[in-house]
Amino acid sequence: MKNILIIRPSAIGDIVMASPMIRVLRRHYPDAYIAWLVEPSSVDLLRSNKDLDELIIWNKKEWRELFQRGRLLLLKHRISEFSRHLHTKRFDLAIDAQGLLRSRWLAWLSGAGERIGFESKEPGRFLMTRITSKGGHTGIMGSEYRHMMGVLGLDTEGFHPEIILSEEDENAAREILGELQTGDRYAVFAPFTTRPQKHWFEDRWIELAELIYEKLGLQPVLLGGKGDFDSALRMEKAARVPLSNLTGRTSLGQSAAIIRDATLMIGVDTGLTHMGAAFDCPTVALFGATCPYLHTAGQRTSVIYNPMTCSPCRRSPICNGDFTCMKSIEAGHVLNEAMKFPGVL
């Protein structure tokens, strides 16, 4: 293989879990040109990885806006321009690590002679030259990506996520934490994600913040996007202990740096939580409607998952908004799991 394209444009957590593919491919093809096709919002996770030769930025948002505004000729020009750029790379292999129609189309658009992707209910199988299963749910973080590397005949020993941070993001994170006066010991909370059925409840986060501060002496820091600010602000105001609200204030790379150096990471099924596991930071992951993994390559991640008869419901909850699986997780249980990690106390 001379030129290889990895296609996993979005979903922070999945990019984190798919990241070991870079090292596996580089180990087997040391002289290959390896590129990753990604959306702008996730660039920070990959831009400092020296095993990647190029990040190919796919501006999906712009394409969608052009379509919605009826600017079809300009959209066609953008697509042709993007395809020409891909073809100049002469990819031998395109790896669709997403399994959607659009990712299969991007693989086809690349012109790669071999195009392998995940089996799914999505249309567009004809766009691929090879379809593989995800290998079954093994309960191990990133197992589907490891399975795909195995299907390609590659050795997957030491398959664990790898996020390389830029010096710029590291320095910015230190400056932000210095302003908060957290010191060297702090806890990161990641309460927010895209689907309400994956959320834990605000009152539970407030209770946990007070326990973490009083029992462990750790100042909790809230991370999230701009859209999470109102919820974070309610928690910050209601907590009877210092609860630092950084939602919407940090870039993805800065958030990653803050997580890497945290004493403790606690979060729901969201990309920031998966970063904690990737860095082998002491992490407690709270799963309910979804359960992407039960075990990680490191030894410092604890998964709390209380499955119900309807679990995992994923995108189709039947509990009428009660979210019983997440409600079953008590703040005291989370604290007890956190206290099991050496160095947290």
Side-chain angles (χ1 to χ4, degrees):
M1 292 292 174
K2 295 182 180 179
N3 302 295
I4 301 169
L5 176 65
I6 301 169
I7 300 171
R8 180 74 226 196
S10 60
I12 294 168
D14 284 289
I15 290 176
V16 169
M17 289 187 272
S19 63
M21 295 195 299
I22 302 170
R23 176 164 290 192
V24 169
L25 290 165
R26 179 59 68 200
R27 186 167 64 227
H28 285 268
Y29 305 110
D31 299 321
Y33 189 90
I34 302 175
W36 190 303
L37 192 153
V38 65
E39 292 179 37
S41 59
S42 299
V43 164
D44 286 358
L45 297 176
L46 301 165
R47 64 177 175 174
S48 298
N49 193 316
K50 294 182 180 179
D51 284 330
L52 281 176
D53 294 292
E54 183 181 4
L55 289 182
I56 296 177
I57 311 301
W58 177 42
N59 199 332
K60 183 182 73 173
K61 182 180 178 181
E62 181 197 14
W63 290 18
R64 179 187 289 133
E65 289 176 351
L66 289 173
F67 179 78
Q68 291 172 344
R69 290 161 51 197
R71 302 290 302 277
L72 301 185
L73 286 178
L74 183 55
L75 174 59
K76 181 181 178 181
H77 175 72
R78 290 282 190 271
I79 294 172
S80 298
E81 190 177 51
F82 191 68
S83 179
R84 283 195 298 271
H85 176 71
L86 291 175
H87 278 253
T88 63
K89 305 301 177 181
R90 300 184 181 276
F91 290 114
D92 303 293
L93 171 66
I95 300 170
D96 170 20
Q98 193 164 30
L100 300 178
L101 172 60
R102 61 174 174 265
S103 56
R104 290 172 175 176
W105 176 67
L106 289 167
W108 174 81
L109 205 65
S110 74
E114 184 177 0
R115 303 180 297 278
I116 183 171
F118 285 128
E119 184 177 25
S120 71
K121 296 179 181 179
E122 291 272 322
R125 291 173 65 99
F126 69 93
L127 297 170
M128 312 303 291
T129 61
R130 190 175 182 184
I131 294 290
T132 178
S133 74
K134 294 186 176 181
H137 187 62
T138 66
I140 301 173
M141 184 180 189
S143 61
E144 63 268 46
Y145 307 108
R146 183 171 192 163
H147 176 74
M148 179 174 278
M149 295 292 95
V151 169
L152 289 171
L154 308 183
D155 177 15
T156 58
E157 185 179 357
F159 195 88
H160 56 82
E162 186 174 28
I163 305 171
I164 312 298
L165 301 176
S166 71
E167 185 176 352
E168 178 185 0
D169 286 334
E170 291 176 329
N171 291 337
R174 280 193 289 268
E175 185 175 335
I176 291 167
L177 292 170
E179 292 174 0
L180 297 179
Q181 298 182 334
T182 60
D184 295 331
R185 285 175 50 83
Y186 59 92
V188 171
F189 287 0
F192 312 109
T193 186
T194 53
R195 286 178 256 160
Q197 62 267 32
K198 296 200 293 183
H199 285 183
W200 206 32
F201 304 93
E202 289 184 9
D203 61 332
R204 300 286 175 91
W205 285 111
I206 295 165
E207 181 184 358
L208 180 64
E210 294 169 355
L211 288 172
I212 292 294
Y213 187 82
E214 293 167 357
K215 302 293 185 182
L216 304 181
L218 301 177
Q219 180 174 332
V221 176
L222 289 168
L223 289 180
K226 292 180 180 178
D228 307 316
F229 182 78
D230 289 345
S231 177
L233 185 61
R234 286 194 297 270
M235 296 183 206
E236 182 184 19
K237 289 182 175 179
R240 293 172 294 180
V241 299
L243 180 57
S244 299
N245 181 7
L246 289 181
T247 53
R249 289 182 53 193
T250 56
S251 69
L252 185 57
Q254 292 164 2
S255 295
I258 290 169
I259 291 167
R260 185 196 63 183
D261 295 335
T263 306
L264 177 65
M265 171 79 201
I266 302 172
V268 296
D269 180 9
T270 189
L272 299 180
T273 304
H274 307 321
M275 284 187 200
F279 287 125
D280 204 24
C281 166
T283 299
V284 183
L286 314 181
F287 296 156
T290 56
C291 187
Y293 53 83
L294 291 168
H295 311 286
T296 65
Q299 302 299 314
R300 300 203 292 176
T301 298
S302 176
V303 173
I304 299 180
Y305 177 54
N306 301 328
M308 307 291 165
T309 55
C310 53
S311 301
C313 64
R314 298 184 177 88
R315 295 180 181 273
S316 304
I318 59 173
C319 58
N320 297 317
D322 193 49
F323 307 137
T324 314
C325 52
M326 296 301 288
K327 189 176 289 185
S328 69
I329 301 174
E330 299 288 345
H333 184 187
V334 180
L335 175 68
N336 289 338
E337 290 299 310
M339 292 173 68
K340 294 178 182 179
F341 296 121
V344 169
L345 282 171

